Amino acid sequence: MDNLINAFALVADPSVLGVILGASIFGLFVGAIPGLSATMATALLVPLTFFMEPLPAIAAIVSSVAMAIFAGDIPGAMLRIPGTPASAAYVDDAYQMTLRGQAERALGIGLVSSVFGGLVGAVILTTGAPFLAEFAFQFSTVEYFWLACLGLSCSVIISRGSPVKGLVALLIGLFISTIGIDVTGGHPRFTFGSIDLMGGVSFIPAMIGMFAMTEILRFAMAKQHNTASVPKSSSSVYGGQWQMMRRNKGNLARGSLIGTVVGILPGAGSDIAAWVSYAMAKKFSRTPEKFGTGHDEGLAAAGSANNSSLSGVWIPALVFGIPGDSVTAIAIGVLFMKGITPGPMVFATQADLTYAIFLTFFVANILLLFLGYFAIRGARYVVQTPARLLMPIILLFCIVGSFAITNSVFGIAIMLVLGIIGFLMEENGFPIAPTILGIVIGPMLEDNFMASVIKADGNIIGFFDRPVAGTLGAITVLIWTVPLISMAIRAILRRWTTAEAQDPRS
């Protein structure tokens, strides 16, 4: 209770509230621009957080992402262009309502659902994370090694597209994390004689490059940059929303829980949570044929999953130091930059700060209810802002931010190189999220592996002789082997079927 009281005092500071308000407006603007994601909003905020205290820095990230995830619905409903990947799940329903003159009602459903899901997720985060932290106190280097392996494996399996490409993207991230001085042996690795690479690849310029710079390059390569007209709306934002919530109370509750659970899985994120929740709502609906035609069930379910997942991703980030998505990967980098190491000890040594971070989720979602209204009212003008005016400003932010973090031109070079790598990866269907998680978790994976090997004296049994370590290890090994076994079985069956078809006696 004392921690909560102290946390209230920290969050109630006018400077913290001012940062939350400013970051919220920034997040709404960025999220409403097609092509500018919530992750990009976070990457652009990093240079500013460099000059902030830990709480305002994290509060800025939390509030901007909560706003940007909702604001991605605006171009989806108005132009049928999802502003963020999370909005793609229900863009058809929202746009069909816009064509019927119900654009503000569609966005109002998304707004109310997002706030509901965000508050549910914040409650689960506040009540569940401390208990998990107490459990995590019993973890040794072996458990953290298997936990890192499990998180990396999940990021590959649930990444959109080919799992093989997800694995390749992960290996790229792990390779980048090995550049620099070997912590165990003290030998330089992959530095090619460069003194700047001795300290490894700086995390923040890498993040800015792989997200913001990638979008800038994609814009530069695009042939057309047109804006579209928006059909006139005859509905209201909050009209009939209470009745909508009563009709969809099951979808809202299920979507919020699904979003939180999916968010806990490292690498999943709000976009996967939205797709899963939308699919579940359609499966349990009495009128599944209406989905995609402007139906509010899918909007309510996926909208609540969007923002509830934002709280879920912070559970592994704060409790175990493993980012749940790209945003928390950036946030962990910011915390490290402030001298704070995420993990179970943060609940003991920085309890006031931890609970203050929890409270910012409540503040951000309540603020979304009000700011979202004005964003919807002015949405027609925001979505038609010419991108050619925004991209040069974003590029300037990227350059200044990368230079400020490293205090050298080398940081700008890292941003440019990884921006080109990220662009080439996405153009060829390779997801960026596993690469980012590889960069973040790579050092943790290597350090805990080497420490575990030394303690076990090279005996592999040492990785399974503790109950929790054995369980995590068995789950991870199953995740690795089951797809391979399934592929082998399918290949055998395919050969058997082909042989039968070619046998003239069959």
Side-chain angles (χ1 to χ4, degrees), residues 474 476-487:
T476 305
V477 171
L478 281 174
I479 289 176
W480 291 345
T481 55
V482 167
L484 298 176
I485 295 172
S486 300
M487 289 171 61

Side-chain angles (χ1 to χ4, degrees), residues 2-20 53-56 59 350-360 363:
D2 292 337
N3 292 331
L4 276 174
I5 293 173
N6 294 333
F8 269 112
L10 290 173
V11 176
D13 186 282
S15 62
V16 176
L17 294 176
V19 167
I20 292 175
E53 293 296 319
L55 179 58
Q350 301 278 346
D352 294 350
L353 174 64
T354 306
Y355 280 97
I357 292 174
F358 293 162
L359 290 178
T360 59
V363 175

Side-chain angles (χ1 to χ4, degrees), residues 41-64:
T42 307
L44 293 174
L45 276 176
V46 169
L48 299 178
T49 61
F50 187 71
F51 305 100
M52 298 180 186
E53 293 296 319
L55 179 58
I58 299 301
I61 293 175
V62 169
S63 52
S64 65

